[in-house]
Amino acid sequence: MNLHDTTALVTGATRGIGRHLTRHLIAHGARVVAVGRDQDLLDELAAEHGEVHPWQVDLADPAAVDAFVTEVAQRHPGLSVVVNNAGVQTLTDFLGDDDPEALRPVLRREIAINFDAVVALSTGLLPHLRRHPEAAVVNITSGLALAPKRSAPVYCATKAAVRTFSRALRYQCQDAAPHVRVIDAVMPLVDTEMTRGRGRDKISPDQAARAVVDGIVAGTDEIHVGRTRLLPPLLRLSPALAHRVLRDS
């Protein structure tokens, strides 16, 4: 896919992988509608890159997401790439000291951002995307969608849901709109605010973003970033080993 002179939407654009996705997309000649919650960080990103169009949206608010879907297509008719990158992860121990009542709204917000917003943006903007000769929906998932870890069951479940949703939506596009690609970008452990203090052998958010953009350009349906390339063959050879490796990751 040729990204020159296109318009791409990136959620979670002000931090981590999203910030670097924005930079790499611009380097390929794209304009970026940068979506985030923090207006100061959005303004900072727009000041850094003249090709950025900042947009403050709370992706946990369904009404705000629906309004955004309607308005962004009207204001940016050239929009042809949607990158669902925003995500949150809550470490939980349901049989430990965590208060279930206190957790409930936190986990609902996690589901809303990680899955509900992805479905709303992907399907809501699909009629607009299919009008372009080339278009793409890019959903950022995780190796934990293939084999979950013990400490974040809801995060792992939402990423697995996005992965399944992406494949099914890809089937529909292959039949009815083959010029619209649906891409699943599977992340390893990336060095971001979300993973601070967790795990080892992280890759940088710049490496992760570069791999995603390179995969979009190459037309790859599934982008396995870094060590996640090892997961599919490992799951085929020894599912128990793959799950054991990631259980306490």
Side-chain angles (χ1 to χ4, degrees):
M1 184 175 184
N2 183 4
L3 293 171
H4 182 72
D5 203 30
T6 61
T7 300
L9 185 156
V10 178
T11 65
T14 59
R15 296 181 172 90
I17 298 170
R19 195 173 186 92
H20 289 274
L21 281 169
T22 298
R23 290 171 176 161
H24 282 285
L25 287 165
I26 289 170
H28 278 264
R31 296 169 294 277
V32 176
V33 178
V35 177
R37 283 190 301 142
D38 190 316
Q39 189 62 56
D40 289 339
L41 290 177
L42 286 167
D43 291 342
E44 178 185 301
L45 188 63
E48 184 179 342
H49 301 285
E51 300 85 353
V52 165
H53 304 271
W55 206 311
Q56 186 180 37
V57 184
D58 182 359
L59 295 176
D61 181 349
V65 173
D66 290 347
F68 170 67
V69 167
T70 299
E71 194 172 348
V72 73
Q74 294 172 348
R75 285 176 51 180
H76 297 280
L79 178 66
S80 60
V81 178
V82 175
V83 184
N84 289 302
N85 164 74
V88 296
Q89 182 181 130
T90 307
L91 300 182
T92 48
D93 183 355
F94 294 112
L95 301 178
D97 296 329
D98 291 339
D99 179 358
E101 289 191 18
L103 273 177
R104 201 170 298 130
V106 175
L107 297 180
R108 283 179 175 150
R109 180 176 182 83
E110 186 172 7
I111 294 167
I113 293 170
N114 292 2
F115 183 60
D116 291 355
V118 172
V119 174
L121 290 172
S122 300
T123 59
L125 291 170
L126 194 55
H128 176 81
L129 296 177
R130 71 184 302 184
R131 298 191 191 111
H132 294 276
E134 278 190 308
V137 174
V138 185
N139 293 327
I140 306 299
T141 63
S142 166
L144 297 172
L146 286 77
K149 69 176 182 177
R150 180 177 58 88
S151 60
V154 173
Y155 176 82
C156 298
T158 59
K159 290 302 181 180
V162 171
R163 181 169 168 80
T164 299
F165 167 74
S166 300
R167 181 177 288 271
L169 183 61
R170 185 184 308 130
Y171 292 158
Q172 294 189 9
C173 288
Q174 287 170 344
D175 292 342
H179 57 290
V180 180
R181 304 196 71 92
V182 181
I183 299 169
D184 177 9
V186 186
M187 289 291 152
L189 192 61
V190 181
D191 190 10
T192 64
E193 289 181 24
M194 188 173 75
T195 67
R196 184 175 296 156
R198 307 179 199 170
R200 297 175 297 173
D201 300 322
K202 302 176 186 179
I203 69 168
S204 73
D206 183 71
Q207 288 174 292
R210 183 184 294 113
V212 173
V213 174
D214 287 348
I216 296 171
V217 172
T220 307
D221 287 339
E222 291 193 3
I223 305 166
H224 288 271
V225 180
R227 292 186 176 183
T228 65
R229 288 190 291 269
L230 302 174
L231 266 177
L234 182 58
L235 282 163
R236 287 194 295 270
L237 291 170
S238 178
L241 176 59
H243 286 280
R244 189 160 64 247
V245 167
L246 288 177
R247 180 183 187 273
D248 293 309
S249 63

